[in-house]
Amino acid sequence: MATVTALDSRKKKAPETQATPAETVERRTLRNLSPADGEPLASVPITTPDEVRAAVARARRAQSAWARMPIEERAERILRFRDAIVENADRLVDVLVRETGKPRNEALLHEVLVVADLASYFAHNAARILAPQNISLHFLVHRKSYVHYAPKGVIGVISPWNFPFAIPMGDVIPALLAGNAVIVKPSEVTPLIALEAKKVFDSTGLPEDLFQVITGDGATGQALIESGIQKLIFTGGVATGKRVAAACGAQLVPCIMELGGKAPLLALSDCDVERTARAIVYGGFCNSGQACISVERVYAHRSIHDELLRRVKELVGELKQGDASKSFVDIGSIIFPKQIETAEKLIADAVAKGAEVVAGGERVHRAGNYFQPTVLAECHHGMDVMREEIFGPIVPIQRIDSDEEAIALANDSHLGLNAYVFSKSRERALRVAEKIEAGSVVVNDVMLNYGACEAPFGGLKESGFGRVHGDDSLRDMCDKRHVNYGRVPMPARDPLWFPYSSTSYSIFSKGLEVLFHGAGVIQRIVKRMP
Ligand code: NAD
């Protein structure tokens, strides 16, 4: 439904001003700039609340036919969509790089591949996961129960800018497989890749209204929540998440909240220092540190701290940074200038409180938004950089003396999305991992758990609630409906029903005693026996 005006980038400055007066009044638009060079990228419409409601009504009509289709057929069609994504991978990567400034390798692996793989897994397993489940009843033994999974209807997805393909499409595909229609409200900062995904979807012949993209800002997201959807999957910041959860509460719309992260990396005394150093650099700086599971703080044991820091510094010195649309750089640009200001503020606070800048520390003065990959040493929890979400290319490191201290510091956070533990002893690492308050803990690796689509992903504390991925997430796209029926025909006059009497009361009362204190009752009866 949304149309996009590509800007002849370097010449036209503000397309809105070129619209006819009538259009200017009726249609507000979003104008996006390239993070890599600051040039205009495109202009997209802000969808109005009326249009949002109309989109939901169309989605509902498309959904009823889709839901009646056998699940095997839905899966087969989703695999066609998966194939189209793979065939269009280069085009999708181009749009992702242009719009986010991330390196091509990351756009391909962290976005396109993750979605194609997730589509395969859920399409091949949906029939198994959503098969009706029998429930054996321990008490009502004359009855039987099962649950079956019915699609909810129209599911809304509100997504952020940092993984603007993998995050929404990772929700869209399971929602469709489960028999729902889906409406995505992409971030106002990165609407183009969602529109591109919609084009690919339409090219497969799937019903057009089944998956729709409504471009716009926070108000459009709010309108989506109020438009009669049956569920919302929200991914974004904590502050926005609280507002969105409240709006969902007001409408009684069930929601999943995927919010911020502050992933600690615990480098235990027996870690492989070289692998840990490389993991810190990759986990801290891929996507310019703009991932909810980025390494946001490191706790390094005193015995390996100095060697680890030295290697991290060397490795950071080898990183290539620049415009990812022009060459194969390791680090691209930052999404918008505000993220740079946040980085500068956090570094200034840390340095004022005793941190040492080991690498980077400054914005790069060139067109576009760039910040040097930065490593801070001698950090502690009195610094904002150790407690607030950074969402930029900064890795602060703190020296620790024991596993217990590392665990306590890792848990000293209002967020609990992801964590990493590095140790050569699997037993020790797992012992530590289980004590960390996070939705996921990864041992001796970084960033990859989002790609393990069989496993649940989501946060504790203010990182949110509910889970995406994992078999249960597909079931959660449905209403779980319980059906109960008799094993044997029952008499017309059921002894549990009316009329009540003192006789039936005393029979039930004895029954209660036998049921829950059976052994004692039997003993008393035996004692009374001659
Ligand atoms: P954001 O909260 O600013 O925006 C997220 C989305 O919410 C956008 O589409 C925005 O338009 C929409 N929105 C804003 N106000 C709204 C309102 N009142 N009602 C409905 N929708 C509204 O987040 P962002 O800056 O795009 O993304 C960065 C944040 O996302 C970080 O905090 C990051 O940790 C988090 N994130 C979390 C996960 C996860 O899986 N837990 C993944 C990626 C990003």
Side-chain angles (χ1 to χ4, degrees), residues 479-502:
D479 288 327
K480 193 184 250 194
R481 299 188 187 171
H482 171 204
V483 178
N484 178 272
Y485 62 98
R487 285 169 180 275
V488 286
M490 292 293 283
R493 207 187 144 98
D494 196 301
L496 296 176
W497 299 351
F498 303 137
Y500 297 146
S501 68
S502 63

mmCIF file of all heavy atoms in Angstrom, residues 479-502:
data_model
loop_
_atom_site.group_PDB
_atom_site.id
_atom_site.type_symbol
_atom_site.label_atom_id
_atom_site.label_comp_id
_atom_site.label_asym_id
_atom_site.label_seq_id
_atom_site.Cartn_x
_atom_site.Cartn_y
_atom_site.Cartn_z
ATOM 1 N N ASP A 479 -4.265 -19.143 18.914
ATOM 2 C CA ASP A 479 -5.041 -19.317 20.138
ATOM 3 C C ASP A 479 -4.988 -20.795 20.475
ATOM 4 O O ASP A 479 -5.302 -21.647 19.632
ATOM 5 C CB ASP A 479 -6.504 -18.895 19.910
ATOM 6 C CG ASP A 479 -6.613 -17.380 19.790
ATOM 7 O OD1 ASP A 479 -5.833 -16.684 20.455
ATOM 8 O OD2 ASP A 479 -7.462 -16.924 18.993
ATOM 9 N N LYS A 480 -4.608 -21.082 21.718
ATOM 10 C CA LYS A 480 -4.560 -22.471 22.162
ATOM 11 C C LYS A 480 -5.968 -22.816 22.632
ATOM 12 O O LYS A 480 -6.478 -22.211 23.577
ATOM 13 C CB LYS A 480 -3.577 -22.537 23.327
ATOM 14 C CG LYS A 480 -3.171 -23.923 23.723
ATOM 15 C CD LYS A 480 -2.283 -23.868 24.948
ATOM 16 C CE LYS A 480 -0.865 -24.236 24.583
ATOM 17 N NZ LYS A 480 -0.046 -24.509 25.769
ATOM 18 N N ARG A 481 -6.627 -23.739 21.968
ATOM 19 C CA ARG A 481 -8.026 -24.050 22.310
ATOM 20 C C ARG A 481 -8.140 -25.463 22.858
ATOM 21 O O ARG A 481 -7.658 -26.406 22.226
ATOM 22 C CB ARG A 481 -8.911 -23.893 21.076
ATOM 23 C CG ARG A 481 -8.901 -22.482 20.540
ATOM 24 C CD ARG A 481 -9.931 -22.337 19.454
ATOM 25 N NE ARG A 481 -9.836 -21.031 18.813
ATOM 26 C CZ ARG A 481 -10.504 -20.700 17.726
ATOM 27 N NH1 ARG A 481 -11.307 -21.580 17.152
ATOM 28 N NH2 ARG A 481 -10.369 -19.502 17.193
ATOM 29 N N HIS A 482 -8.783 -25.571 23.996
ATOM 30 C CA HIS A 482 -8.916 -26.844 24.696
ATOM 31 C C HIS A 482 -10.271 -27.467 24.377
ATOM 32 O O HIS A 482 -11.295 -26.814 24.524
ATOM 33 C CB HIS A 482 -8.769 -26.558 26.209
ATOM 34 C CG HIS A 482 -9.089 -27.710 27.087
ATOM 35 N ND1 HIS A 482 -9.482 -27.571 28.393
ATOM 36 C CD2 HIS A 482 -9.073 -29.049 26.857
ATOM 37 C CE1 HIS A 482 -9.692 -28.758 28.937
ATOM 38 N NE2 HIS A 482 -9.450 -29.672 28.022
ATOM 39 N N VAL A 483 -10.252 -28.732 23.963
ATOM 40 C CA VAL A 483 -11.502 -29.471 23.747
ATOM 41 C C VAL A 483 -11.500 -30.664 24.696
ATOM 42 O O VAL A 483 -10.496 -31.374 24.802
ATOM 43 C CB VAL A 483 -11.624 -29.960 22.284
ATOM 44 C CG1 VAL A 483 -12.901 -30.776 22.096
ATOM 45 C CG2 VAL A 483 -11.600 -28.776 21.330
ATOM 46 N N ASN A 484 -12.631 -30.892 25.387
ATOM 47 C CA ASN A 484 -12.753 -31.979 26.356
ATOM 48 C C ASN A 484 -13.959 -32.823 25.990
ATOM 49 O O ASN A 484 -15.024 -32.289 25.684
ATOM 50 C CB ASN A 484 -12.901 -31.357 27.760
ATOM 51 C CG ASN A 484 -13.088 -32.404 28.831
ATOM 52 O OD1 ASN A 484 -14.207 -32.817 29.108
ATOM 53 N ND2 ASN A 484 -11.999 -32.824 29.427
ATOM 54 N N TYR A 485 -13.819 -34.155 25.998
ATOM 55 C CA TYR A 485 -14.955 -35.020 25.636
ATOM 56 C C TYR A 485 -14.907 -36.305 26.463
ATOM 57 O O TYR A 485 -13.875 -36.623 27.071
ATOM 58 C CB TYR A 485 -14.950 -35.325 24.134
ATOM 59 C CG TYR A 485 -13.735 -36.078 23.654
ATOM 60 C CD1 TYR A 485 -13.775 -37.471 23.485
ATOM 61 C CD2 TYR A 485 -12.551 -35.408 23.388
ATOM 62 C CE1 TYR A 485 -12.655 -38.155 23.046
ATOM 63 C CE2 TYR A 485 -11.422 -36.097 22.955
ATOM 64 C CZ TYR A 485 -11.483 -37.469 22.784
ATOM 65 O OH TYR A 485 -10.381 -38.151 22.380
ATOM 66 N N GLY A 486 -16.054 -37.066 26.483
ATOM 67 C CA GLY A 486 -16.134 -38.258 27.329
ATOM 68 C C GLY A 486 -15.553 -39.498 26.666
ATOM 69 O O GLY A 486 -15.671 -39.671 25.462
ATOM 70 N N ARG A 487 -14.930 -40.358 27.497
ATOM 71 C CA ARG A 487 -14.441 -41.636 26.968
ATOM 72 C C ARG A 487 -15.605 -42.624 26.788
ATOM 73 O O ARG A 487 -15.578 -43.476 25.918
ATOM 74 C CB ARG A 487 -13.507 -42.298 27.994
ATOM 75 C CG ARG A 487 -12.139 -41.705 28.106
ATOM 76 C CD ARG A 487 -11.460 -42.308 29.338
ATOM 77 N NE ARG A 487 -10.141 -41.781 29.517
ATOM 78 C CZ ARG A 487 -9.063 -42.265 28.916
ATOM 79 N NH1 ARG A 487 -9.150 -43.277 28.094
ATOM 80 N NH2 ARG A 487 -7.886 -41.726 29.121
ATOM 81 N N VAL A 488 -16.606 -42.493 27.701
ATOM 82 C CA VAL A 488 -17.751 -43.423 27.697
ATOM 83 C C VAL A 488 -19.038 -42.604 27.758
ATOM 84 O O VAL A 488 -19.021 -41.477 28.255
ATOM 85 C CB VAL A 488 -17.687 -44.346 28.937
ATOM 86 C CG1 VAL A 488 -16.611 -45.399 28.792
ATOM 87 C CG2 VAL A 488 -17.489 -43.539 30.210
ATOM 88 N N PRO A 489 -20.144 -43.170 27.272
ATOM 89 C CA PRO A 489 -21.410 -42.432 27.374
ATOM 90 C C PRO A 489 -21.789 -42.221 28.842
ATOM 91 O O PRO A 489 -21.578 -43.119 29.664
ATOM 92 C CB PRO A 489 -22.422 -43.346 26.673
ATOM 93 C CG PRO A 489 -21.636 -44.429 26.023
ATOM 94 C CD PRO A 489 -20.288 -44.496 26.649
ATOM 95 N N MET A 490 -22.309 -41.071 29.184
ATOM 96 C CA MET A 490 -22.679 -40.760 30.570
ATOM 97 C C MET A 490 -24.195 -40.835 30.711
ATOM 98 O O MET A 490 -24.930 -40.576 29.748
ATOM 99 C CB MET A 490 -22.199 -39.345 30.925
ATOM 100 C CG MET A 490 -20.691 -39.212 30.991
ATOM 101 S SD MET A 490 -19.978 -40.150 32.345
ATOM 102 C CE MET A 490 -20.362 -39.079 33.733
ATOM 103 N N PRO A 491 -24.660 -41.162 31.942
ATOM 104 C CA PRO A 491 -26.118 -41.214 32.135
ATOM 105 C C PRO A 491 -26.722 -39.825 32.015
ATOM 106 O O PRO A 491 -26.024 -38.825 32.252
ATOM 107 C CB PRO A 491 -26.259 -41.735 33.572
ATOM 108 C CG PRO A 491 -24.956 -41.403 34.223
ATOM 109 C CD PRO A 491 -23.914 -41.441 33.152
ATOM 110 N N ALA A 492 -27.985 -39.767 31.669
ATOM 111 C CA ALA A 492 -28.645 -38.468 31.543
ATOM 112 C C ALA A 492 -28.592 -37.725 32.867
ATOM 113 O O ALA A 492 -28.421 -36.513 32.925
ATOM 114 C CB ALA A 492 -30.090 -38.664 31.097
ATOM 115 N N ARG A 493 -28.719 -38.483 33.975
ATOM 116 C CA ARG A 493 -28.746 -37.866 35.309
ATOM 117 C C ARG A 493 -27.341 -37.963 35.887
ATOM 118 O O ARG A 493 -26.932 -38.988 36.434
ATOM 119 C CB ARG A 493 -29.744 -38.661 36.149
ATOM 120 C CG ARG A 493 -30.393 -37.902 37.252
ATOM 121 C CD ARG A 493 -31.216 -38.896 38.075
ATOM 122 N NE ARG A 493 -31.145 -38.496 39.467
ATOM 123 C CZ ARG A 493 -32.079 -37.796 40.069
ATOM 124 N NH1 ARG A 493 -33.167 -37.479 39.426
ATOM 125 N NH2 ARG A 493 -31.926 -37.441 41.321
ATOM 126 N N ASP A 494 -26.599 -36.909 35.747
ATOM 127 C CA ASP A 494 -25.193 -36.932 36.191
ATOM 128 C C ASP A 494 -25.124 -36.735 37.695
ATOM 129 O O ASP A 494 -25.702 -35.772 38.216
ATOM 130 C CB ASP A 494 -24.410 -35.809 35.478
ATOM 131 C CG ASP A 494 -22.908 -36.002 35.569
ATOM 132 O OD1 ASP A 494 -22.391 -36.058 36.703
ATOM 133 O OD2 ASP A 494 -22.252 -36.101 34.509
ATOM 134 N N PRO A 495 -24.457 -37.631 38.439
ATOM 135 C CA PRO A 495 -24.439 -37.523 39.906
ATOM 136 C C PRO A 495 -23.769 -36.251 40.429
ATOM 137 O O PRO A 495 -23.965 -35.890 41.583
ATOM 138 C CB PRO A 495 -23.643 -38.772 40.339
ATOM 139 C CG PRO A 495 -22.919 -39.248 39.116
ATOM 140 C CD PRO A 495 -23.722 -38.798 37.935
ATOM 141 N N LEU A 496 -22.985 -35.596 39.590
ATOM 142 C CA LEU A 496 -22.315 -34.360 40.055
ATOM 143 C C LEU A 496 -23.219 -33.130 39.919
ATOM 144 O O LEU A 496 -22.916 -32.070 40.433
ATOM 145 C CB LEU A 496 -21.033 -34.118 39.252
ATOM 146 C CG LEU A 496 -19.928 -35.171 39.397
ATOM 147 C CD1 LEU A 496 -18.779 -34.856 38.476
ATOM 148 C CD2 LEU A 496 -19.437 -35.242 40.841
ATOM 149 N N TRP A 497 -24.278 -33.231 39.156
ATOM 150 C CA TRP A 497 -25.140 -32.085 38.872
ATOM 151 C C TRP A 497 -26.250 -31.969 39.913
ATOM 152 O O TRP A 497 -26.288 -32.716 40.891
ATOM 153 C CB TRP A 497 -25.738 -32.235 37.461
ATOM 154 C CG TRP A 497 -24.715 -32.270 36.338
ATOM 155 C CD1 TRP A 497 -23.391 -32.017 36.459
ATOM 156 C CD2 TRP A 497 -24.951 -32.613 34.977
ATOM 157 N NE1 TRP A 497 -22.767 -32.158 35.232
ATOM 158 C CE2 TRP A 497 -23.698 -32.522 34.299
ATOM 159 C CE3 TRP A 497 -26.071 -32.974 34.231
ATOM 160 C CZ2 TRP A 497 -23.556 -32.789 32.934
ATOM 161 C CZ3 TRP A 497 -25.942 -33.233 32.872
ATOM 162 C CH2 TRP A 497 -24.683 -33.133 32.229
ATOM 163 N N PHE A 498 -27.185 -31.018 39.691
ATOM 164 C CA PHE A 498 -28.355 -30.879 40.569
ATOM 165 C C PHE A 498 -29.174 -32.164 40.528
ATOM 166 O O PHE A 498 -29.145 -32.860 39.499
ATOM 167 C CB PHE A 498 -29.262 -29.719 40.107
ATOM 168 C CG PHE A 498 -28.559 -28.400 40.041
ATOM 169 C CD1 PHE A 498 -28.762 -27.539 38.965
ATOM 170 C CD2 PHE A 498 -27.680 -28.013 41.049
ATOM 171 C CE1 PHE A 498 -28.132 -26.321 38.900
ATOM 172 C CE2 PHE A 498 -27.051 -26.776 40.980
ATOM 173 C CZ PHE A 498 -27.264 -25.939 39.908
ATOM 174 N N PRO A 499 -29.935 -32.482 41.523
ATOM 175 C CA PRO A 499 -30.141 -31.727 42.765
ATOM 176 C C PRO A 499 -29.065 -32.081 43.814
ATOM 177 O O PRO A 499 -28.573 -33.199 43.851
ATOM 178 C CB PRO A 499 -31.514 -32.216 43.235
ATOM 179 C CG PRO A 499 -31.582 -33.632 42.730
ATOM 180 C CD PRO A 499 -30.790 -33.674 41.450
ATOM 181 N N TYR A 500 -28.724 -31.087 44.676
ATOM 182 C CA TYR A 500 -27.814 -31.323 45.788
ATOM 183 C C TYR A 500 -28.614 -31.864 46.978
ATOM 184 O O TYR A 500 -29.811 -31.603 47.107
ATOM 185 C CB TYR A 500 -27.143 -30.021 46.220
ATOM 186 C CG TYR A 500 -26.271 -29.376 45.162
ATOM 187 C CD1 TYR A 500 -26.166 -27.990 45.070
ATOM 188 C CD2 TYR A 500 -25.543 -30.160 44.272
ATOM 189 C CE1 TYR A 500 -25.351 -27.396 44.127
ATOM 190 C CE2 TYR A 500 -24.720 -29.568 43.318
ATOM 191 C CZ TYR A 500 -24.627 -28.188 43.238
ATOM 192 O OH TYR A 500 -23.834 -27.616 42.307
ATOM 193 N N SER A 501 -27.915 -32.583 47.865
ATOM 194 C CA SER A 501 -28.581 -33.069 49.080
ATOM 195 C C SER A 501 -27.521 -33.329 50.134
ATOM 196 O O SER A 501 -26.318 -33.364 49.816
ATOM 197 C CB SER A 501 -29.330 -34.378 48.795
ATOM 198 O OG SER A 501 -28.381 -35.400 48.540
ATOM 199 N N SER A 502 -27.961 -33.518 51.403
ATOM 200 C CA SER A 502 -26.982 -33.784 52.457
ATOM 201 C C SER A 502 -26.318 -35.130 52.202
ATOM 202 O O SER A 502 -25.137 -35.325 52.492
ATOM 203 C CB SER A 502 -27.650 -33.746 53.841
ATOM 204 O OG SER A 502 -28.618 -34.773 53.896
#
